[in-house]
Amino acid sequence: MIDRLPGEASQPLARAAIYACLVGTAMYFLAPLLVMALTSVKSMDEIRDGNLLSLPLEPTLAAWAKAWAKMRGFFWNSLLLVVPAVAISTAIGSFNGYVLTKWRFRGSETLFGMLLVGCFIPFQAILLPMARALGQFGLAGTTAGLVAVHVIYGLAFTTLFFRNFYMGLPDELIKAARIDGAGFFTIFWRIVLPLSPPIVVVCVIWQFTQIWNDFLFGVAYSSGESQPITVALNNLVNTSTGVKEYNVDMAAALLAALPTLIVYVLAGKYFVKGLTAGAVKG
């Protein structure tokens, strides 16, 4: 019989302890989500008489239907906001990263440093200047104005991500394309962009999450029917008129969180691959 090496006997116990810790942590963070899901399919009478973790006796989707009826317009507002904002900021960020790494010019490092400062400016610091600028351009209280705000604020992050990713691309690839007669835009469209899907996914997930979940810019720069879903959810939950409908509030909160959850489920593994491929290098 072969004797076990020192410490080998303790490996299964250590692995079991790690799994137990991970399962316990997951349950801790998933408990609020479970409470929200259970509450959203209960009637108000059952919510008053039961407890938070009790299973619904008569599950119903009435609260979901009511929540969707109240939040539908604001849901589409957020969608109309997040799609162009993410697309524009990602496109400009990729172009900036390409120029700042493969076509450097005098002052490029200074320009990048100025862009990088944008990553550290608090949202609250630009509320008044941005509101004044939107008013001067006639974009105050509009979805287009909110798109412009998120594009401007997101450029610092997308430029940083793409620049660090493109730092890992060999310069010889660009030089060879130049020798073959490829120009500035041809190299970008035919060579650099086809190599960029990992970092594009990183930027899309990052920007989508930030913009969809944003409340401060939404409440400051939108009004009335143009408000995003986060502002509408806050107004619904904090209303002081009528009976407090907890099931409707929970259903509305889940509706607001569903798009970001879907994005992470579908593209989460590509997000990790993009980060390890160079999004935080350089």
Side-chain angles (χ1 to χ4, degrees), residues 113-169:
M114 295 172 63
L115 283 172
L116 197 60
V117 171
C119 297
F120 304 99
I121 298 178
F123 286 6
Q124 296 83 352
I126 66 169
L127 286 180
L128 291 179
M130 191 69 75
R132 183 174 181 179
L134 291 177
Q136 291 177 341
F137 286 102
L139 296 175
T142 65
T143 301
L146 203 52
V147 169
V149 170
H150 283 293
V151 168
I152 293 171
Y153 210 92
L155 278 180
F157 293 97
T158 56
T159 300
L160 172 64
F161 288 157
F162 276 100
R163 177 187 179 275
N164 288 345
F165 181 81
Y166 290 154
M167 289 284 288
L169 296 182

Side-chain angles (χ1 to χ4, degrees), residues 73-278:
F74 303 105
F75 182 92
W76 295 120
N77 285 345
S78 288
L79 202 60
L80 291 174
L81 160 67
V82 73
V83 170
V86 169
I88 295 172
S89 61
T90 301
I92 298 178
S94 66
F95 189 78
N96 289 346
Y98 166 63
V99 172
L100 292 173
T101 54
K102 304 306 178 185
W103 295 79
R104 295 184 180 181
F105 52 90
R106 180 177 297 179
S108 60
E109 292 299 323
T110 302
L111 178 61
F112 174 69
M114 295 172 63
L115 283 172
L116 197 60
V117 171
C119 297
F120 304 99
I121 298 178
F123 286 6
Q124 296 83 352
I126 66 169
L127 286 180
L128 291 179
M130 191 69 75
R132 183 174 181 179
L134 291 177
Q136 291 177 341
F137 286 102
L139 296 175
T142 65
T143 301
L146 203 52
V147 169
V149 170
H150 283 293
V151 168
I152 293 171
Y153 210 92
L155 278 180
F157 293 97
T158 56
T159 300
L160 172 64
F161 288 157
F162 276 100
R163 177 187 179 275
N164 288 345
F165 181 81
Y166 290 154
M167 289 284 288
L169 296 182
D171 292 335
E172 290 76 11
L173 191 65
I174 308 299
K175 293 178 181 178
R178 290 182 183 177
I179 293 174
D180 290 339
F184 178 88
F185 291 102
T186 301
I187 295 174
F188 180 62
W189 284 107
R190 297 291 182 87
I191 298 176
V192 175
L193 273 187
L195 297 174
S196 304
I199 196 60
V200 169
V201 173
V202 170
C203 288
V204 167
I205 294 179
W206 174 272
Q207 284 290 87
F208 186 95
T209 304
Q210 294 294 317
I211 297 172
W212 187 275
N213 293 332
D214 171 70
F215 174 78
L216 183 61
F217 287 161
V219 74
Y221 302 133
S222 65
S223 60
E225 298 300 320
S226 67
Q227 292 177 334
I229 195 170
T230 49
V231 179
L233 178 62
N234 176 75
N235 296 338
L236 175 66
V237 172
N238 293 323
T239 181
S240 58
T241 59
V243 179
K244 194 71 172 177
E245 297 178 303
Y246 296 102
N247 50 358
V248 177
D249 293 346
M250 296 299 178
L254 289 173
L255 282 172
L258 194 58
T260 52
L261 180 62
I262 293 175
V263 168
Y264 269 109
V265 169
L266 295 180
K269 62 179 180 179
Y270 301 107
F271 182 79
V272 176
K273 288 182 180 178
L275 287 177
T276 56

